[in-house]
Amino acid sequence: TNDTFAFLIGKNIGKHKLLERISPNKTIEGFIGGLIFTFLASFILANLFPSLSIIQWTVIAGIVSIFGVLGDLIESMFKRKAGVKDSSNFIPGHCGFLDRFDSVIFASPFIFIYLHLVQ
């Protein structure tokens, strides 16, 4: 949800660059759009999966949004330093495996830690 809506909002109304030196296409508007829609998704998930409270789902949405973007920026920085556009050609047309999953890979340990702290 975060990556998809950050892309859609950023592409359509994004004007202010987030960190142009690292990832020139990311915008502040895209980040905020991804954050908002991820919080909306957390409310839906809280109703579908009541094993976690609405507050826990909301915290997870915040973790996903913040650490997901950080993971994406870190992966972009690695690619920029290596002088490559895509992390692989494993998934043709999708910029590479890491480009599709960098947010999930980076945010997952923080969600795991959070869930262990609250349970």
Coordinates of all heavy atoms in Angstrom, one line a residue, residues 6-50:
A6 N 2.5 5.9 -2.7 CA 3.5 6.9 -2.7 C 3.9 7.1 -4.2 O 4.1 8.3 -4.6 CB 4.8 6.4 -2.0
F7 N 3.9 6.1 -5.0 CA 4.2 6.2 -6.4 C 3.1 7.0 -7.1 O 3.4 7.9 -7.8 CB 4.4 4.9 -7.1 CG 4.5 4.9 -8.6 CD1 5.7 5.4 -9.2 CD2 3.4 4.6 -9.4 CE1 5.7 5.4 -10.6 CE2 3.5 4.6 -10.7 CZ 4.6 5.1 -11.4
L8 N 1.9 6.6 -6.9 CA 0.7 7.2 -7.6 C 0.6 8.7 -7.2 O 0.4 9.5 -8.1 CB -0.6 6.5 -7.3 CG -0.7 5.1 -7.9 CD1 -1.9 4.3 -7.3 CD2 -0.7 5.1 -9.4
I9 N 0.6 9.0 -5.9 CA 0.5 10.4 -5.5 C 1.7 11.2 -5.9 O 1.5 12.3 -6.5 CB 0.3 10.5 -3.9 CG1 -0.9 9.7 -3.5 CG2 0.3 11.9 -3.5 CD1 -2.2 10.2 -3.9
G10 N 2.9 10.7 -5.8 CA 4.1 11.4 -6.2 C 4.1 11.7 -7.6 O 4.5 12.7 -8.1
K11 N 3.7 10.7 -8.4 CA 3.8 10.8 -9.9 C 2.7 11.9 -10.4 O 3.0 12.6 -11.3 CB 3.4 9.5 -10.5 CG 3.6 9.4 -12.0 CD 5.1 9.2 -12.3 CE 5.2 8.9 -13.8 NZ 6.6 9.0 -14.2
N12 N 1.6 11.9 -9.7 CA 0.5 12.8 -10.2 C 0.5 14.2 -9.6 O 0.2 15.2 -10.2 CB -0.8 12.2 -9.9 CG -1.1 11.0 -10.8 OD1 -1.0 11.2 -12.0 ND2 -1.3 9.8 -10.3
I13 N 0.9 14.3 -8.3 CA 0.9 15.7 -7.7 C 2.2 16.1 -7.0 O 2.3 17.1 -6.4 CB -0.3 15.8 -6.7 CG1 -0.1 14.9 -5.5 CG2 -1.6 15.7 -7.4 CD1 -1.1 15.2 -4.4
G14 N 3.2 15.2 -7.1 CA 4.5 15.5 -6.4 C 5.3 16.6 -7.0 O 5.5 16.6 -8.3
K15 N 5.7 17.6 -6.2 CA 6.4 18.7 -6.7 C 7.7 18.9 -5.9 O 8.7 19.4 -6.5 CB 5.6 20.0 -6.5 CG 4.3 20.0 -7.2 CD 4.3 20.8 -8.5 CE 3.0 20.9 -9.2 NZ 2.6 19.7 -9.9
H16 N 7.8 18.5 -4.7 CA 8.9 18.7 -3.8 C 9.7 17.4 -3.6 O 9.2 16.4 -3.1 CB 8.5 19.3 -2.5 CG 7.6 20.5 -2.6 ND1 6.3 20.5 -2.7 CD2 8.0 21.8 -2.7 CE1 5.8 21.7 -2.8 NE2 6.9 22.6 -2.8
K17 N 10.9 17.4 -4.0 CA 11.8 16.2 -4.0 C 12.1 15.9 -2.5 O 12.3 16.7 -1.7 CB 13.1 16.5 -4.7 CG 12.9 16.8 -6.2 CD 12.2 15.7 -6.9 CE 12.1 16.0 -8.4 NZ 11.4 15.0 -9.1
L18 N 12.1 14.6 -2.2 CA 12.4 14.1 -0.9 C 13.9 14.1 -0.6 O 14.4 14.8 0.2 CB 11.8 12.7 -0.7 CG 11.9 12.1 0.7 CD1 11.1 12.9 1.7 CD2 11.4 10.6 0.6
L19 N 14.6 13.4 -1.4 CA 16.1 13.3 -1.4 C 16.6 13.2 -2.8 O 17.0 12.1 -3.2 CB 16.6 12.2 -0.5 CG 16.6 12.5 1.0 CD1 16.9 11.2 1.8 CD2 17.5 13.6 1.4
E20 N 16.6 14.3 -3.5 CA 16.9 14.2 -5.0 C 18.2 13.6 -5.3 O 18.4 12.9 -6.3 CB 16.8 15.6 -5.5 CG 16.9 15.6 -7.0 CD 16.5 17.0 -7.6 OE1 16.5 18.0 -6.9 OE2 16.3 17.1 -8.8
R21 N 19.2 13.8 -4.4 CA 20.6 13.3 -4.7 C 20.6 11.8 -4.6 O 21.4 11.2 -5.4 CB 21.5 13.9 -3.6 CG 23.0 13.6 -3.8 CD 23.8 14.2 -2.7 NE 23.7 13.4 -1.5 CZ 23.4 13.8 -0.3 NH1 23.2 15.0 -0.1 NH2 23.3 13.0 0.7
I22 N 19.8 11.2 -3.8 CA 19.8 9.7 -3.7 C 18.7 9.1 -4.6 O 19.0 8.1 -5.3 CB 19.5 9.3 -2.2 CG1 20.6 9.8 -1.4 CG2 19.3 7.8 -2.1 CD1 20.4 9.5 0.1
S23 N 17.5 9.6 -4.6 CA 16.4 9.1 -5.4 C 15.6 10.2 -6.0 O 14.7 10.7 -5.4 CB 15.6 8.2 -4.6 OG 14.6 7.5 -5.3
P24 N 16.0 10.6 -7.2 CA 15.4 11.9 -7.8 C 13.9 11.8 -8.1 O 13.3 12.9 -8.2 CB 16.2 12.0 -9.1 CG 16.8 10.7 -9.4 CD 16.9 10.0 -8.1
N25 N 13.3 10.7 -8.1 CA 11.9 10.6 -8.4 C 11.0 10.6 -7.2 O 9.8 10.7 -7.3 CB 11.5 9.4 -9.3 CG 12.2 9.6 -10.7 OD1 12.3 10.7 -11.2 ND2 12.6 8.5 -11.3
K26 N 11.6 10.5 -6.0 CA 10.7 10.4 -4.8 C 10.4 11.9 -4.3 O 11.2 12.7 -4.3 CB 11.5 9.7 -3.7 CG 11.6 8.3 -4.0 CD 12.0 7.5 -2.7 CE 12.2 6.1 -3.0 NZ 11.7 5.6 -4.2
T27 N 9.1 12.0 -4.0 CA 8.7 13.4 -3.5 C 8.1 13.3 -2.1 O 7.7 12.2 -1.6 CB 7.6 13.9 -4.5 OG1 6.4 13.1 -4.4 CG2 8.1 14.0 -5.9
I28 N 8.1 14.5 -1.5 CA 7.5 14.6 -0.2 C 6.0 14.3 -0.3 O 5.4 13.6 0.6 CB 7.7 16.0 0.4 CG1 9.2 16.2 0.6 CG2 6.9 16.3 1.6 CD1 9.6 17.6 0.9
E29 N 5.3 14.8 -1.3 CA 3.9 14.5 -1.5 C 3.6 13.0 -1.6 O 2.7 12.5 -1.1 CB 3.4 15.2 -2.7 CG 3.4 16.7 -2.6 CD 4.7 17.4 -3.0 OE1 5.7 16.7 -3.3 OE2 4.7 18.6 -3.0
G30 N 4.5 12.3 -2.3 CA 4.4 10.8 -2.5 C 4.6 10.1 -1.1 O 3.8 9.2 -0.8
F31 N 5.6 10.6 -0.3 CA 5.8 10.0 1.0 C 4.5 10.2 1.9 O 4.0 9.2 2.5 CB 7.0 10.7 1.7 CG 7.1 10.3 3.1 CD1 7.6 9.0 3.5 CD2 6.8 11.2 4.1 CE1 7.7 8.6 4.8 CE2 6.9 10.8 5.4 CZ 7.4 9.5 5.8
I32 N 4.0 11.4 1.9 CA 2.8 11.7 2.7 C 1.6 10.9 2.2 O 0.8 10.3 3.0 CB 2.5 13.2 2.7 CG1 3.6 13.9 3.5 CG2 1.1 13.5 3.3 CD1 3.6 15.4 3.4
G33 N 1.4 10.8 0.8 CA 0.3 10.0 0.3 C 0.4 8.5 0.7 O -0.6 7.9 1.0
G34 N 1.6 8.0 0.6 CA 1.8 6.6 1.0 C 1.5 6.4 2.5 O 0.9 5.4 2.8
L35 N 2.0 7.3 3.3 CA 1.7 7.3 4.7 C 0.2 7.3 5.0 O -0.3 6.4 5.8 CB 2.4 8.5 5.4 CG 2.4 8.6 6.9 CD1 3.3 7.6 7.5 CD2 2.7 10.0 7.3
I36 N -0.5 8.2 4.4 CA -2.0 8.3 4.6 C -2.7 7.0 4.2 O -3.5 6.5 5.0 CB -2.5 9.5 3.9 CG1 -2.1 10.8 4.6 CG2 -4.1 9.5 3.8 CD1 -2.3 12.1 3.8
F37 N -2.4 6.5 3.0 CA -3.1 5.3 2.6 C -2.7 4.1 3.3 O -3.5 3.2 3.5 CB -2.9 5.2 1.1 CG -3.8 6.0 0.2 CD1 -3.4 7.3 -0.2 CD2 -5.1 5.6 0.0 CE1 -4.3 8.1 -0.9 CE2 -6.0 6.4 -0.8 CZ -5.6 7.6 -1.2
T38 N -1.5 4.1 3.9 CA -1.1 2.9 4.7 C -1.8 3.0 6.0 O -2.2 1.9 6.5 CB 0.5 3.0 4.9 OG1 1.1 2.9 3.6 CG2 0.9 1.8 5.7
F39 N -2.0 4.2 6.6 CA -2.8 4.3 7.8 C -4.3 3.9 7.5 O -4.9 3.1 8.3 CB -2.8 5.7 8.4 CG -1.5 5.9 9.2 CD1 -0.6 6.9 8.8 CD2 -1.2 5.2 10.3 CE1 0.5 7.2 9.6 CE2 -0.1 5.4 11.1 CZ 0.8 6.4 10.7
L40 N -4.8 4.2 6.4 CA -6.2 3.8 6.0 C -6.2 2.3 5.9 O -7.2 1.7 6.4 CB -6.6 4.5 4.7 CG -6.9 6.0 4.8 CD1 -7.2 6.5 3.4 CD2 -8.0 6.3 5.7
A41 N -5.2 1.7 5.3 CA -5.2 0.2 5.2 C -5.1 -0.4 6.5 O -5.7 -1.5 6.8 CB -4.0 -0.2 4.3
S42 N -4.4 0.2 7.5 CA -4.3 -0.4 8.8 C -5.6 -0.4 9.5 O -5.9 -1.4 10.3 CB -3.2 0.4 9.7 OG -3.7 1.6 10.1
F43 N -6.5 0.6 9.3 CA -7.8 0.5 9.9 C -8.6 -0.6 9.3 O -9.4 -1.3 10.0 CB -8.5 1.9 9.7 CG -7.9 3.0 10.4 CD1 -7.5 4.2 9.7 CD2 -7.6 2.9 11.7 CE1 -6.9 5.2 10.4 CE2 -7.0 4.0 12.4 CZ -6.7 5.1 11.7
I44 N -8.5 -0.8 8.0 CA -9.2 -2.0 7.4 C -8.7 -3.3 7.9 O -9.5 -4.2 8.3 CB -9.1 -1.9 5.8 CG1 -9.8 -0.7 5.3 CG2 -9.6 -3.2 5.2 CD1 -9.4 -0.3 3.8
L45 N -7.4 -3.4 8.0 CA -6.8 -4.6 8.5 C -7.1 -4.9 10.0 O -7.3 -6.0 10.4 CB -5.2 -4.6 8.4 CG -4.7 -4.7 7.0 CD1 -3.2 -4.4 6.9 CD2 -5.0 -6.1 6.4
A46 N -7.3 -3.8 10.8 CA -7.7 -4.0 12.2 C -9.1 -4.6 12.3 O -9.3 -5.3 13.2 CB -7.6 -2.6 12.9
N47 N -9.9 -4.2 11.4 CA -11.3 -4.8 11.4 C -11.3 -6.2 10.8 O -12.1 -7.1 11.3 CB -12.2 -3.9 10.5 CG -12.5 -2.6 11.2 OD1 -12.8 -2.6 12.4 ND2 -12.5 -1.6 10.5
L48 N -10.4 -6.5 9.9 CA -10.4 -7.9 9.3 C -9.6 -8.9 10.2 O -9.9 -10.1 10.3 CB -9.7 -7.9 8.0 CG -10.5 -7.1 6.9 CD1 -9.7 -7.0 5.6 CD2 -11.8 -7.9 6.6
F49 N -8.6 -8.4 10.9 CA -7.8 -9.2 11.8 C -7.7 -8.6 13.2 O -6.7 -8.0 13.5 CB -6.3 -9.3 11.2 CG -6.3 -9.9 9.8 CD1 -6.2 -9.0 8.7 CD2 -6.5 -11.2 9.5 CE1 -6.2 -9.5 7.4 CE2 -6.5 -11.7 8.3 CZ -6.4 -10.9 7.2
P50 N -8.7 -8.9 14.0 CA -8.8 -8.3 15.3 C -7.8 -8.9 16.4 O -7.8 -8.5 17.5 CB -10.2 -8.5 15.7 CG -10.6 -9.7 15.0 CD -9.9 -9.7 13.7

